[in-house]
Short mmCIF file of all heavy atoms in Angstrom, two decimals:
data_model
loop_
_atom_site.label_atom_id
_atom_site.label_comp_id
_atom_site.label_asym_id
_atom_site.label_seq_id
_atom_site.Cartn_x
_atom_site.Cartn_y
_atom_site.Cartn_z
N MET A 1 7.15 -8.62 34.96
CA MET A 1 7.17 -8.76 33.53
C MET A 1 8.18 -7.77 32.95
O MET A 1 8.25 -6.63 33.37
CB MET A 1 5.76 -8.49 32.97
CG MET A 1 5.73 -8.66 31.46
SD MET A 1 4.21 -8.13 30.66
CE MET A 1 3.11 -9.44 31.08
N ALA A 2 8.92 -8.21 31.98
CA ALA A 2 9.94 -7.37 31.35
C ALA A 2 9.28 -6.34 30.45
O ALA A 2 8.29 -6.61 29.78
CB ALA A 2 10.91 -8.22 30.55
N GLU A 3 9.84 -5.14 30.44
CA GLU A 3 9.35 -4.09 29.56
C GLU A 3 10.24 -4.04 28.33
O GLU A 3 11.44 -4.25 28.41
CB GLU A 3 9.36 -2.75 30.27
CG GLU A 3 8.30 -2.64 31.33
CD GLU A 3 8.23 -1.22 31.89
OE1 GLU A 3 8.49 -0.27 31.13
OE2 GLU A 3 7.91 -1.09 33.07
N PHE A 4 9.63 -3.79 27.19
CA PHE A 4 10.40 -3.62 25.97
C PHE A 4 9.72 -2.58 25.10
O PHE A 4 8.55 -2.29 25.27
CB PHE A 4 10.54 -4.95 25.21
CG PHE A 4 9.24 -5.46 24.64
CD1 PHE A 4 8.88 -5.18 23.33
CD2 PHE A 4 8.38 -6.22 25.41
CE1 PHE A 4 7.69 -5.65 22.81
CE2 PHE A 4 7.19 -6.69 24.91
CZ PHE A 4 6.83 -6.40 23.60
N GLU A 5 10.47 -2.05 24.19
CA GLU A 5 9.94 -1.03 23.29
C GLU A 5 9.73 -1.65 21.92
O GLU A 5 10.63 -2.28 21.38
CB GLU A 5 10.93 0.13 23.19
CG GLU A 5 10.29 1.39 22.67
CD GLU A 5 11.20 2.58 22.83
OE1 GLU A 5 11.68 2.81 23.95
OE2 GLU A 5 11.43 3.25 21.82
N ASN A 6 8.55 -1.51 21.38
CA ASN A 6 8.22 -2.05 20.07
C ASN A 6 8.58 -1.02 19.01
O ASN A 6 7.96 0.04 18.91
CB ASN A 6 6.72 -2.37 20.01
CG ASN A 6 6.32 -3.01 18.70
OD1 ASN A 6 7.07 -3.02 17.75
ND2 ASN A 6 5.10 -3.52 18.66
N PRO A 7 9.60 -1.30 18.18
CA PRO A 7 10.01 -0.32 17.16
C PRO A 7 8.94 -0.08 16.10
O PRO A 7 8.95 0.93 15.41
CB PRO A 7 11.27 -0.92 16.55
CG PRO A 7 11.15 -2.38 16.83
CD PRO A 7 10.38 -2.51 18.12
N TYR A 8 8.01 -1.00 15.93
CA TYR A 8 6.97 -0.86 14.91
C TYR A 8 5.77 -0.05 15.39
O TYR A 8 4.96 0.37 14.58
CB TYR A 8 6.50 -2.25 14.46
CG TYR A 8 7.61 -3.07 13.88
CD1 TYR A 8 8.18 -4.10 14.60
CD2 TYR A 8 8.13 -2.78 12.62
CE1 TYR A 8 9.22 -4.85 14.08
CE2 TYR A 8 9.18 -3.52 12.09
CZ TYR A 8 9.70 -4.56 12.83
OH TYR A 8 10.75 -5.27 12.31
N ALA A 9 5.67 0.19 16.66
CA ALA A 9 4.54 0.94 17.19
C ALA A 9 4.50 2.37 16.68
O ALA A 9 3.42 2.93 16.50
CB ALA A 9 4.57 0.92 18.72
N GLN A 10 5.63 2.97 16.44
CA GLN A 10 5.70 4.35 15.97
C GLN A 10 5.89 4.45 14.45
O GLN A 10 5.87 5.54 13.90
CB GLN A 10 6.85 5.07 16.67
CG GLN A 10 6.75 5.09 18.18
CD GLN A 10 5.49 5.81 18.66
OE1 GLN A 10 5.09 6.82 18.10
NE2 GLN A 10 4.87 5.27 19.69
N ALA A 11 6.10 3.33 13.78
CA ALA A 11 6.37 3.34 12.34
C ALA A 11 5.10 3.60 11.55
O ALA A 11 4.01 3.23 11.95
CB ALA A 11 7.00 2.03 11.92
N ASN A 12 5.24 4.24 10.40
CA ASN A 12 4.13 4.47 9.49
C ASN A 12 3.82 3.18 8.77
O ASN A 12 4.70 2.61 8.12
CB ASN A 12 4.52 5.56 8.50
CG ASN A 12 3.36 5.97 7.62
OD1 ASN A 12 2.34 5.30 7.54
ND2 ASN A 12 3.53 7.09 6.94
N PRO A 13 2.59 2.69 8.84
CA PRO A 13 2.27 1.41 8.20
C PRO A 13 2.14 1.48 6.69
O PRO A 13 2.08 0.47 6.02
CB PRO A 13 0.93 1.02 8.83
CG PRO A 13 0.32 2.34 9.18
CD PRO A 13 1.47 3.23 9.56
N PHE A 14 2.12 2.71 6.14
CA PHE A 14 1.98 2.87 4.69
C PHE A 14 3.36 3.02 4.04
O PHE A 14 4.22 3.72 4.54
CB PHE A 14 1.14 4.09 4.36
CG PHE A 14 -0.32 3.91 4.66
CD1 PHE A 14 -0.84 4.38 5.84
CD2 PHE A 14 -1.15 3.27 3.77
CE1 PHE A 14 -2.18 4.22 6.14
CE2 PHE A 14 -2.50 3.10 4.06
CZ PHE A 14 -3.01 3.58 5.24
N VAL A 15 3.51 2.36 2.89
CA VAL A 15 4.75 2.44 2.12
C VAL A 15 4.37 2.85 0.71
O VAL A 15 3.43 2.30 0.13
CB VAL A 15 5.45 1.06 2.09
CG1 VAL A 15 6.69 1.10 1.23
CG2 VAL A 15 5.79 0.60 3.49
N ARG A 16 5.12 3.80 0.14
CA ARG A 16 4.81 4.22 -1.23
C ARG A 16 5.10 3.08 -2.19
O ARG A 16 6.20 2.54 -2.23
CB ARG A 16 5.63 5.45 -1.59
CG ARG A 16 5.20 6.01 -2.93
CD ARG A 16 5.80 7.37 -3.16
NE ARG A 16 5.18 7.95 -4.32
CZ ARG A 16 5.04 9.22 -4.51
NH1 ARG A 16 5.44 10.06 -3.59
NH2 ARG A 16 4.48 9.67 -5.59
N ALA A 17 4.11 2.69 -2.95
CA ALA A 17 4.25 1.60 -3.90
C ALA A 17 4.83 2.13 -5.22
O ALA A 17 4.81 3.33 -5.48
CB ALA A 17 2.89 0.95 -4.15
N HIS A 18 5.32 1.24 -6.03
CA HIS A 18 5.90 1.62 -7.32
C HIS A 18 4.88 1.47 -8.45
O HIS A 18 5.23 1.15 -9.57
CB HIS A 18 7.12 0.75 -7.61
CG HIS A 18 8.21 0.91 -6.62
ND1 HIS A 18 9.04 1.99 -6.59
CD2 HIS A 18 8.58 0.12 -5.59
CE1 HIS A 18 9.89 1.87 -5.59
NE2 HIS A 18 9.64 0.75 -4.96
N PHE A 19 3.63 1.69 -8.11
CA PHE A 19 2.55 1.52 -9.09
C PHE A 19 1.68 2.76 -9.12
O PHE A 19 1.62 3.51 -8.15
CB PHE A 19 1.67 0.32 -8.72
CG PHE A 19 2.44 -0.97 -8.61
CD1 PHE A 19 2.78 -1.48 -7.39
CD2 PHE A 19 2.80 -1.65 -9.77
CE1 PHE A 19 3.48 -2.67 -7.29
CE2 PHE A 19 3.52 -2.84 -9.68
CZ PHE A 19 3.85 -3.35 -8.45
N ASP A 20 0.99 2.96 -10.24
CA ASP A 20 0.06 4.06 -10.40
C ASP A 20 -1.37 3.55 -10.26
O ASP A 20 -1.66 2.38 -10.55
CB ASP A 20 0.24 4.72 -11.77
CG ASP A 20 1.59 5.39 -11.91
OD1 ASP A 20 2.14 5.84 -10.89
OD2 ASP A 20 2.11 5.44 -13.04
N CYS A 21 -2.26 4.42 -9.85
CA CYS A 21 -3.68 4.10 -9.67
C CYS A 21 -4.28 3.67 -11.01
O CYS A 21 -4.01 4.29 -12.06
CB CYS A 21 -4.41 5.33 -9.13
SG CYS A 21 -6.18 5.09 -8.93
N LEU A 22 -5.11 2.66 -10.99
CA LEU A 22 -5.78 2.18 -12.20
C LEU A 22 -6.86 3.13 -12.67
O LEU A 22 -7.24 3.12 -13.83
CB LEU A 22 -6.39 0.78 -11.93
CG LEU A 22 -5.42 -0.30 -11.49
CD1 LEU A 22 -6.17 -1.60 -11.24
CD2 LEU A 22 -4.33 -0.50 -12.53
N ASN A 23 -7.36 3.97 -11.76
CA ASN A 23 -8.45 4.90 -12.11
C ASN A 23 -7.94 6.26 -12.59
O ASN A 23 -8.36 6.76 -13.62
CB ASN A 23 -9.40 5.10 -10.94
CG ASN A 23 -10.20 3.86 -10.63
OD1 ASN A 23 -10.36 3.00 -11.48
ND2 ASN A 23 -10.67 3.75 -9.41
N CYS A 24 -7.07 6.89 -11.79
CA CYS A 24 -6.70 8.27 -12.09
C CYS A 24 -5.21 8.46 -12.40
O CYS A 24 -4.79 9.54 -12.78
CB CYS A 24 -7.10 9.19 -10.94
SG CYS A 24 -6.06 9.03 -9.47
N GLY A 25 -4.39 7.42 -12.20
CA GLY A 25 -2.96 7.54 -12.48
C GLY A 25 -2.15 8.09 -11.33
O GLY A 25 -0.95 8.27 -11.45
N GLY A 26 -2.79 8.36 -10.19
CA GLY A 26 -2.08 8.86 -9.01
C GLY A 26 -1.18 7.80 -8.39
O GLY A 26 -1.23 6.62 -8.76
N LYS A 27 -0.35 8.20 -7.47
CA LYS A 27 0.57 7.27 -6.81
C LYS A 27 -0.17 6.45 -5.76
O LYS A 27 -1.01 6.95 -5.04
CB LYS A 27 1.72 8.03 -6.14
CG LYS A 27 2.62 8.73 -7.14
CD LYS A 27 3.27 7.71 -8.04
CE LYS A 27 4.10 8.41 -9.11
NZ LYS A 27 4.55 7.49 -10.13
N LEU A 28 0.18 5.17 -5.69
CA LEU A 28 -0.43 4.27 -4.72
C LEU A 28 0.45 4.11 -3.50
O LEU A 28 1.68 4.14 -3.60
CB LEU A 28 -0.67 2.89 -5.35
CG LEU A 28 -1.71 2.84 -6.45
CD1 LEU A 28 -1.75 1.45 -7.06
CD2 LEU A 28 -3.08 3.22 -5.92
N TRP A 29 -0.19 3.95 -2.37
CA TRP A 29 0.48 3.64 -1.11
C TRP A 29 0.00 2.27 -0.67
O TRP A 29 -1.20 1.98 -0.71
CB TRP A 29 0.13 4.68 -0.05
CG TRP A 29 0.76 6.00 -0.34
CD1 TRP A 29 0.32 6.94 -1.22
CD2 TRP A 29 1.96 6.52 0.21
NE1 TRP A 29 1.16 8.03 -1.24
CE2 TRP A 29 2.19 7.78 -0.37
CE3 TRP A 29 2.87 6.05 1.14
CZ2 TRP A 29 3.29 8.57 -0.06
CZ3 TRP A 29 3.96 6.84 1.47
CH2 TRP A 29 4.15 8.08 0.88
N GLU A 30 0.92 1.43 -0.23
CA GLU A 30 0.58 0.07 0.17
C GLU A 30 0.46 -0.04 1.68
O GLU A 30 1.30 0.46 2.43
CB GLU A 30 1.64 -0.91 -0.32
CG GLU A 30 1.29 -2.35 -0.03
CD GLU A 30 2.23 -3.34 -0.67
OE1 GLU A 30 3.34 -2.94 -1.07
OE2 GLU A 30 1.86 -4.50 -0.77
N TYR A 31 -0.62 -0.66 2.12
CA TYR A 31 -0.82 -0.98 3.53
C TYR A 31 -0.66 -2.50 3.61
O TYR A 31 -1.62 -3.24 3.45
CB TYR A 31 -2.19 -0.51 3.99
CG TYR A 31 -2.41 -0.63 5.48
CD1 TYR A 31 -1.53 -0.03 6.37
CD2 TYR A 31 -3.48 -1.33 5.99
CE1 TYR A 31 -1.73 -0.14 7.74
CE2 TYR A 31 -3.69 -1.44 7.35
CZ TYR A 31 -2.80 -0.83 8.22
OH TYR A 31 -2.99 -0.94 9.57
N ALA A 32 0.57 -2.95 3.80
CA ALA A 32 0.92 -4.36 3.65
C ALA A 32 0.20 -5.26 4.65
O ALA A 32 -0.08 -6.41 4.34
CB ALA A 32 2.43 -4.54 3.77
N ILE A 33 -0.14 -4.75 5.82
CA ILE A 33 -0.81 -5.57 6.82
C ILE A 33 -2.14 -6.10 6.27
O ILE A 33 -2.52 -7.22 6.53
CB ILE A 33 -1.02 -4.77 8.13
CG1 ILE A 33 0.34 -4.46 8.76
CG2 ILE A 33 -1.91 -5.53 9.10
CD1 ILE A 33 0.25 -3.49 9.92
N GLN A 34 -2.84 -5.27 5.52
CA GLN A 34 -4.12 -5.68 4.96
C GLN A 34 -4.01 -6.11 3.50
O GLN A 34 -5.01 -6.43 2.87
CB GLN A 34 -5.14 -4.55 5.07
CG GLN A 34 -5.55 -4.27 6.48
CD GLN A 34 -6.66 -3.24 6.54
OE1 GLN A 34 -7.08 -2.66 5.55
NE2 GLN A 34 -7.15 -3.00 7.74
N ASP A 35 -2.78 -6.09 2.94
CA ASP A 35 -2.56 -6.47 1.54
C ASP A 35 -3.43 -5.63 0.61
O ASP A 35 -4.06 -6.11 -0.30
CB ASP A 35 -2.83 -7.96 1.35
CG ASP A 35 -2.23 -8.49 0.05
OD1 ASP A 35 -1.21 -7.93 -0.40
OD2 ASP A 35 -2.77 -9.46 -0.51
N ARG A 36 -3.45 -4.31 0.88
CA ARG A 36 -4.26 -3.37 0.10
C ARG A 36 -3.40 -2.17 -0.29
O ARG A 36 -2.38 -1.90 0.32
CB ARG A 36 -5.44 -2.86 0.92
CG ARG A 36 -6.28 -3.90 1.62
CD ARG A 36 -7.37 -4.45 0.80
NE ARG A 36 -8.28 -3.41 0.37
CZ ARG A 36 -9.58 -3.56 0.32
NH1 ARG A 36 -10.12 -4.67 0.69
NH2 ARG A 36 -10.35 -2.60 -0.11
N MET A 37 -3.85 -1.45 -1.31
CA MET A 37 -3.22 -0.21 -1.74
C MET A 37 -4.27 0.88 -1.85
O MET A 37 -5.41 0.59 -2.20
CB MET A 37 -2.51 -0.39 -3.08
CG MET A 37 -1.33 -1.30 -3.02
SD MET A 37 -0.44 -1.29 -4.58
CE MET A 37 0.70 -2.64 -4.31
N VAL A 38 -3.87 2.11 -1.55
CA VAL A 38 -4.79 3.25 -1.65
C VAL A 38 -4.12 4.35 -2.47
O VAL A 38 -2.91 4.56 -2.39
CB VAL A 38 -5.18 3.76 -0.23
CG1 VAL A 38 -3.97 4.31 0.51
CG2 VAL A 38 -6.28 4.80 -0.32
N CYS A 39 -4.92 5.02 -3.30
CA CYS A 39 -4.42 6.11 -4.14
C CYS A 39 -4.37 7.40 -3.33
O CYS A 39 -5.32 7.73 -2.62
CB CYS A 39 -5.32 6.29 -5.35
SG CYS A 39 -4.85 7.68 -6.41
N GLU A 40 -3.26 8.14 -3.48
CA GLU A 40 -3.14 9.40 -2.72
C GLU A 40 -4.01 10.50 -3.30
O GLU A 40 -4.26 11.49 -2.63
CB GLU A 40 -1.68 9.84 -2.64
CG GLU A 40 -1.08 10.27 -3.96
CD GLU A 40 0.38 10.67 -3.85
OE1 GLU A 40 0.98 10.48 -2.79
OE2 GLU A 40 0.91 11.18 -4.85
N ASP A 41 -4.49 10.35 -4.53
CA ASP A 41 -5.31 11.38 -5.16
C ASP A 41 -6.80 11.12 -5.03
O ASP A 41 -7.54 11.90 -4.45
CB ASP A 41 -4.94 11.54 -6.63
CG ASP A 41 -3.53 12.09 -6.82
OD1 ASP A 41 -3.04 12.82 -5.93
OD2 ASP A 41 -2.90 11.78 -7.85
N CYS A 42 -7.27 9.98 -5.55
CA CYS A 42 -8.71 9.71 -5.56
C CYS A 42 -9.15 8.84 -4.38
O CYS A 42 -10.34 8.61 -4.21
CB CYS A 42 -9.12 9.06 -6.88
SG CYS A 42 -8.58 7.35 -7.10
N ARG A 43 -8.21 8.35 -3.58
CA ARG A 43 -8.48 7.56 -2.36
C ARG A 43 -9.15 6.21 -2.65
O ARG A 43 -9.72 5.59 -1.79
CB ARG A 43 -9.34 8.33 -1.36
CG ARG A 43 -8.73 9.62 -0.91
CD ARG A 43 -7.54 9.37 -0.05
NE ARG A 43 -7.06 10.63 0.48
CZ ARG A 43 -5.82 10.83 0.83
NH1 ARG A 43 -4.95 9.87 0.73
NH2 ARG A 43 -5.43 11.99 1.30
N GLU A 44 -9.07 5.77 -3.93
CA GLU A 44 -9.61 4.45 -4.27
C GLU A 44 -8.77 3.37 -3.62
O GLU A 44 -7.56 3.49 -3.51
CB GLU A 44 -9.61 4.28 -5.80
CG GLU A 44 -10.27 3.03 -6.31
CD GLU A 44 -11.79 3.09 -6.17
OE1 GLU A 44 -12.35 4.19 -6.19
OE2 GLU A 44 -12.38 2.01 -6.02
N LEU A 45 -9.42 2.30 -3.19
CA LEU A 45 -8.75 1.20 -2.50
C LEU A 45 -8.69 -0.01 -3.41
O LEU A 45 -9.69 -0.36 -4.06
CB LEU A 45 -9.55 0.87 -1.23
CG LEU A 45 -8.87 0.10 -0.14
CD1 LEU A 45 -7.63 0.83 0.38
CD2 LEU A 45 -9.83 -0.12 1.01
N PHE A 46 -7.52 -0.64 -3.49
CA PHE A 46 -7.33 -1.81 -4.35
C PHE A 46 -6.68 -2.93 -3.55
O PHE A 46 -5.91 -2.68 -2.62
CB PHE A 46 -6.37 -1.48 -5.51
CG PHE A 46 -6.84 -0.38 -6.40
CD1 PHE A 46 -6.40 0.92 -6.18
CD2 PHE A 46 -7.70 -0.62 -7.45
CE1 PHE A 46 -6.81 1.97 -7.00
CE2 PHE A 46 -8.12 0.41 -8.28
CZ PHE A 46 -7.68 1.70 -8.06
N ASP A 47 -6.95 -4.18 -3.95
CA ASP A 47 -6.21 -5.31 -3.42
C ASP A 47 -4.84 -5.30 -4.09
O ASP A 47 -4.73 -5.04 -5.29
CB ASP A 47 -6.90 -6.64 -3.74
CG ASP A 47 -8.17 -6.85 -2.92
OD1 ASP A 47 -8.25 -6.28 -1.81
OD2 ASP A 47 -9.06 -7.57 -3.39
N SER A 48 -3.78 -5.58 -3.33
CA SER A 48 -2.43 -5.59 -3.89
C SER A 48 -2.32 -6.57 -5.06
O SER A 48 -1.67 -6.29 -6.07
CB SER A 48 -1.40 -5.93 -2.82
OG SER A 48 -1.35 -4.92 -1.85
N SER A 49 -2.97 -7.73 -4.93
CA SER A 49 -2.89 -8.74 -6.00
C SER A 49 -3.49 -8.20 -7.31
O SER A 49 -2.99 -8.51 -8.39
CB SER A 49 -3.60 -10.02 -5.57
OG SER A 49 -4.95 -9.78 -5.28
N GLU A 50 -4.54 -7.39 -7.21
CA GLU A 50 -5.14 -6.78 -8.40
C GLU A 50 -4.14 -5.87 -9.11
O GLU A 50 -4.02 -5.89 -10.33
CB GLU A 50 -6.39 -5.99 -7.99
CG GLU A 50 -7.08 -5.28 -9.12
CD GLU A 50 -8.25 -4.43 -8.66
OE1 GLU A 50 -8.57 -4.42 -7.46
OE2 GLU A 50 -8.85 -3.76 -9.52
N ILE A 51 -3.40 -5.09 -8.34
CA ILE A 51 -2.41 -4.18 -8.91
C ILE A 51 -1.26 -4.96 -9.54
O ILE A 51 -0.80 -4.65 -10.63
CB ILE A 51 -1.88 -3.20 -7.84
CG1 ILE A 51 -3.04 -2.37 -7.25
CG2 ILE A 51 -0.78 -2.32 -8.40
CD1 ILE A 51 -3.74 -1.48 -8.25
N PHE A 52 -0.79 -6.00 -8.83
CA PHE A 52 0.31 -6.81 -9.36
C PHE A 52 -0.11 -7.49 -10.67
O PHE A 52 0.65 -7.50 -11.64
CB PHE A 52 0.74 -7.86 -8.34
CG PHE A 52 1.32 -7.29 -7.07
CD1 PHE A 52 1.06 -7.89 -5.87
CD2 PHE A 52 2.12 -6.16 -7.08
CE1 PHE A 52 1.59 -7.37 -4.68
CE2 PHE A 52 2.64 -5.63 -5.94
CZ PHE A 52 2.38 -6.25 -4.73
N ASP A 53 -1.31 -8.06 -10.70
CA ASP A 53 -1.79 -8.73 -11.91
C ASP A 53 -1.89 -7.76 -13.07
O ASP A 53 -1.51 -8.08 -14.20
CB ASP A 53 -3.17 -9.38 -11.66
CG ASP A 53 -3.09 -10.55 -10.71
OD1 ASP A 53 -1.98 -11.05 -10.45
OD2 ASP A 53 -4.16 -10.97 -10.21
N GLU A 54 -2.39 -6.56 -12.80
CA GLU A 54 -2.53 -5.54 -13.85
C GLU A 54 -1.17 -5.09 -14.36
O GLU A 54 -0.98 -4.88 -15.56
CB GLU A 54 -3.32 -4.35 -13.32
CG GLU A 54 -3.69 -3.33 -14.36
CD GLU A 54 -4.72 -3.84 -15.38
OE1 GLU A 54 -5.49 -4.75 -15.04
OE2 GLU A 54 -4.72 -3.31 -16.51
N SER A 55 -0.20 -4.95 -13.48
CA SER A 55 1.14 -4.50 -13.91
C SER A 55 1.83 -5.56 -14.76
O SER A 55 2.53 -5.24 -15.71
CB SER A 55 2.01 -4.14 -12.71
OG SER A 55 2.35 -5.29 -11.96
N ILE A 56 1.60 -6.84 -14.45
CA ILE A 56 2.17 -7.93 -15.24
C ILE A 56 1.53 -7.98 -16.62
O ILE A 56 2.20 -8.21 -17.63
CB ILE A 56 2.01 -9.28 -14.52
CG1 ILE A 56 2.92 -9.30 -13.28
CG2 ILE A 56 2.33 -10.45 -15.42
CD1 ILE A 56 2.66 -10.46 -12.36
N ALA A 57 0.23 -7.72 -16.70
CA ALA A 57 -0.49 -7.75 -17.97
C ALA A 57 -0.01 -6.67 -18.93
O ALA A 57 -0.10 -6.83 -20.14
CB ALA A 57 -1.98 -7.60 -17.72
N HIS A 58 0.52 -5.55 -18.40
CA HIS A 58 0.97 -4.44 -19.25
C HIS A 58 2.45 -4.48 -19.57
O HIS A 58 2.95 -3.57 -20.23
CB HIS A 58 0.62 -3.10 -18.58
CG HIS A 58 -0.83 -2.76 -18.73
ND1 HIS A 58 -1.76 -3.17 -17.81
CD2 HIS A 58 -1.49 -2.07 -19.68
CE1 HIS A 58 -2.95 -2.73 -18.19
NE2 HIS A 58 -2.82 -2.08 -19.32
N GLU A 59 3.15 -5.49 -19.12
CA GLU A 59 4.60 -5.56 -19.42
C GLU A 59 4.86 -6.16 -20.76
O GLU A 59 4.17 -6.82 -21.38
CB GLU A 59 5.33 -6.37 -18.34
CG GLU A 59 5.45 -5.59 -17.06
CD GLU A 59 6.29 -6.31 -16.03
OE1 GLU A 59 6.75 -7.44 -16.27
OE2 GLU A 59 6.48 -5.73 -14.97
#
């Protein structure tokens, strides 16, 4: 069997989102694999769709 190196195995699965927490205003980090976001301050967990819908409502 051929060996290969998976470049994603060492990558950080969290990406800093461009949204603020709905509860405390802290910065959100997106975990795209689960389609969720987590706040770096209060650790609240949100569905990404909830954050997107809320950001559209405030534009």
